[in-house]
Amino acid sequence: MIKDDELLVGLDIGTTKICVVVAKVVEGKISIIGIGSHQSTGLRKGVVVNMDSTVNSIMKAVEEAELMAGVKIERCIAGISGDHIKSFNSNGVVAIKDKEVKFDDVTRAIDAAKAVAIPADRQILHVIPQEFIIDDQDGIRDPIGISGVRLEVKVHIVTGRISSAQNIIKCCRLAGLAVDDIVLSQLASAEATLSPEEKEIGAAIVDIGGGTSDIAVFANGSIKYTSVIPFGGNNITNDIAIGLKTPLEEAEKIKKKYGCAFADLIGDNETIDVPSVGGRKPRTIKRKTLADIIEPRVEEICMIIYEEIKKSGVEKLLASGVILTGGCANLSGMVEISEQIFNMQTRIGSPMGVTGLVDVVNNPIYATGVGLIIYGYKNQNIKRLKFDKTKAIKNIYSKSKMIKKMKEWFKEIF
């Protein structure tokens, strides 16, 4: 049980930034007490490609968060993303032992649902119950205590490459952090930005980061679909650099300061200065020219996201529409162009449901970091990936045959 004054730390390891959010529990509420962020150069499309750079970025972000919060950070809940993430729905059926559903029956049903064949290089990250069915009575969310003879559970299973999770844990360990849990980034973002009502009547969370766009679709109070596509803000930055013939670093600054995803919002007389390459003089162009470069790429990304949302099969049930988070959500015109393409109402999702430094975290770029903390608080029995106690791992995963391979590489690492 998480007690008052106990620290919770969310580590958002993104393609363009590493973000650390520190909170403590005060009278049963999550209070944000510190934030740290640093540029990320060691990842590509959400996957670690340079361990030294990633470790260095984590250490600097942690140091900044420690200075703000005035605490020592030793453990964290880390986010994971990347186009290696795959998910699917499954179901399991068991007989109810004593004609009344008990916790053991639920556990056996979930074990049956996740007893599916997955490639040897992948691991299960999440098994999320969607609904329970007892003797053909569906729509049950808490089956404990209900009488019946047959229990069925529908679950959503998220898998990822073992090596990708392994590299995240290694980077954290080298940066001096123990990892309590690894959580899919869009699930964390949903915890911070979606209300229970939105999950109930249907909503899609879309986290558009630097290297990837993460999608999670909710309906009837449970998750229905997750996906990751390998397109994000870096694609927009590259287009600006090529179209305006300016360095990538300057293109990123121009995007953040003057970028607009919907050209109709810009006046004809607005101009911006664009640095040139090779020591040439800066040029002055119309801001609408910049928007004409950004808009087609944003349209393309949104179209791909829309196709993914349609794959969920519950597109028509999304009464709450689409909630945009991530760095690209701050781009002017994102709501307008998204509503056109998705044909749904769209809003920007910033973290909610926390206290403390609310004004500081009131930005979609902190949705995942804050969401990791909320996820950890709600799931107080999170698995502890203790590096010096493989026995703990054994106790947690003893019921899952699939995790045997994970035990082997945990021993190799630690």
Side-chain angles (χ1 to χ4, degrees), residues 47-234:
V47 177
V48 176
V49 294
N50 187 314
M51 192 158 291
D52 289 341
S53 295
T54 303
V55 171
N56 184 57
S57 296
I58 292 174
M59 291 177 69
K60 290 184 176 179
V62 168
E63 182 180 358
E64 183 178 330
E66 287 178 335
L67 287 173
M68 180 180 288
V71 296
K72 176 66 176 176
I73 298 173
E74 297 179 341
R75 345 184 42 89
C76 69
I77 301 167
I80 188 170
S81 186
D83 57 359
H84 65 97
I85 298 293
K86 306 295 179 185
S87 64
F88 57 92
N89 294 324
S90 180
N91 66 313
V93 181
V94 296
I96 301 172
K97 286 185 177 181
D98 299 322
K99 309 304 180 184
E100 181 180 297
V101 179
K102 297 181 180 178
F103 182 78
D104 180 63
D105 297 310
V106 174
T107 302
R108 288 189 299 111
I110 293 175
D111 285 343
K114 68 182 182 182
V116 293
I118 61 173
D121 64 337
R122 304 186 68 79
Q123 71 179 79
I124 293 179
L125 298 174
H126 297 284
V127 180
I128 308 168
Q130 296 173 320
E131 68 168 332
F132 293 89
I133 302 170
I134 299 177
D135 296 345
D136 297 325
Q137 176 61 54
D138 59 4
I140 299 172
R141 297 181 186 175
D142 184 2
I144 303 296
I146 298 178
S147 298
V149 296
R150 180 180 181 274
L151 174 66
E152 180 179 357
V153 61
K154 294 183 178 181
V155 301
H156 185 71
I157 297 177
V158 180
T159 70
R161 271 201 306 265
I162 290 177
S163 59
S164 297
Q166 180 179 357
N167 287 331
I168 288 176
I169 294 172
K170 275 186 178 179
C171 288
C172 292
R173 181 168 64 98
L174 292 172
L177 296 178
V179 178
D180 288 337
D181 203 359
I182 294 181
V183 180
L184 187 64
S185 293
Q186 58 262 49
L187 292 182
S189 298
E191 289 287 354
T193 59
L194 295 186
S195 67
E197 292 77 17
E198 286 175 320
K199 291 180 181 179
E200 185 66 38
I201 65 176
I205 181 85
V206 177
D207 188 334
I208 308 179
T212 62
S213 294
D214 306 331
I215 305 159
V217 179
F218 292 82
N220 300 322
S222 63
I223 191 162
K224 300 299 181 183
Y225 185 78
T226 55
S227 180
V228 179
I229 63 172
F231 300 97
N234 286 351

Side-chain angles (χ1 to χ4, degrees), residues 33 38 57 70 79 87 98 100 119 138 160 162 192-193 214 217 241 298 324 334 342 344 363 368 379 391:
I33 60 173
H38 193 269
S57 296
S87 64
D98 299 322
E100 181 180 297
D138 59 4
I162 290 177
T193 59
D214 306 331
V217 179
V298 173
L324 299 176
M334 282 298 295
F342 299 143
M344 303 179 197
N363 191 313
T368 300
N379 297 270
K391 183 178 179 181

Side-chain angles (χ1 to χ4, degrees), residues 123-382:
Q123 71 179 79
I124 293 179
L125 298 174
H126 297 284
V127 180
I128 308 168
Q130 296 173 320
E131 68 168 332
F132 293 89
I133 302 170
I134 299 177
D135 296 345
D136 297 325
Q137 176 61 54
D138 59 4
I140 299 172
R141 297 181 186 175
D142 184 2
I144 303 296
I146 298 178
S147 298
V149 296
R150 180 180 181 274
L151 174 66
E152 180 179 357
V153 61
K154 294 183 178 181
V155 301
H156 185 71
I157 297 177
V158 180
T159 70
R161 271 201 306 265
I162 290 177
S163 59
S164 297
Q166 180 179 357
N167 287 331
I168 288 176
I169 294 172
K170 275 186 178 179
C171 288
C172 292
R173 181 168 64 98
L174 292 172
L177 296 178
V179 178
D180 288 337
D181 203 359
I182 294 181
V183 180
L184 187 64
S185 293
Q186 58 262 49
L187 292 182
S189 298
E191 289 287 354
T193 59
L194 295 186
S195 67
E197 292 77 17
E198 286 175 320
K199 291 180 181 179
E200 185 66 38
I201 65 176
I205 181 85
V206 177
D207 188 334
I208 308 179
T212 62
S213 294
D214 306 331
I215 305 159
V217 179
F218 292 82
N220 300 322
S222 63
I223 191 162
K224 300 299 181 183
Y225 185 78
T226 55
S227 180
V228 179
I229 63 172
F231 300 97
N234 286 351
N235 299 95
I236 300 172
T237 302
N238 290 337
D239 289 350
I240 295 172
I242 295 171
L244 299 184
K245 299 178 176 60
T246 190
L248 277 171
E249 186 177 345
E250 296 298 331
E252 180 69 17
K253 293 178 181 178
I254 291 170
K255 180 184 74 175
K256 290 180 177 179
K257 190 172 183 179
Y258 302 109
C260 182
F262 196 56
D264 290 348
L265 298 178
I266 299 176
D268 293 332
N269 297 324
E270 293 185 59
T271 60
I272 61 173
D273 293 328
V274 179
S276 299
V277 294
R280 298 178 180 87
K281 294 181 179 179
R283 294 160 290 125
T284 299
I285 66 167
K286 288 188 175 182
R287 189 183 173 202
K288 206 154 194 172
T289 302
L290 173 63
D292 289 337
I293 294 172
I294 295 175
E295 185 171 337
R297 177 63 79 176
V298 173
E299 284 181 343
E300 179 189 22
I301 293 173
C302 287
M303 285 299 298
I304 296 172
I305 291 171
Y306 185 46
E307 290 301 317
E308 290 296 318
I309 291 175
K310 288 197 288 187
K311 288 181 183 179
S312 69
V314 294
E315 172 201 359
K316 295 181 179 179
L317 300 179
L318 305 183
S320 294
V322 175
I323 291 82
L324 299 176
T325 68
C328 282
N330 285 322
L331 195 62
S332 175
M334 282 298 295
V335 170
E336 288 79 3
I337 197 168
S338 297
E339 288 185 337
Q340 278 193 1
I341 293 174
F342 299 143
N343 195 28
M344 303 179 197
Q345 61 180 354
T346 304
R347 71 171 176 87
I348 304 300
S350 296
M352 56 187 183
V354 295
T355 61
L357 302 176
V358 176
D359 292 340
V360 179
V361 298
N362 187 30
N363 191 313
I365 66 173
Y366 296 122
T368 300
V370 174
L372 290 168
I373 288 173
I374 297 174
Y375 182 94
Y377 180 68
K378 288 183 176 180
N379 297 270
Q380 297 182 6
N381 58 341
I382 53 178

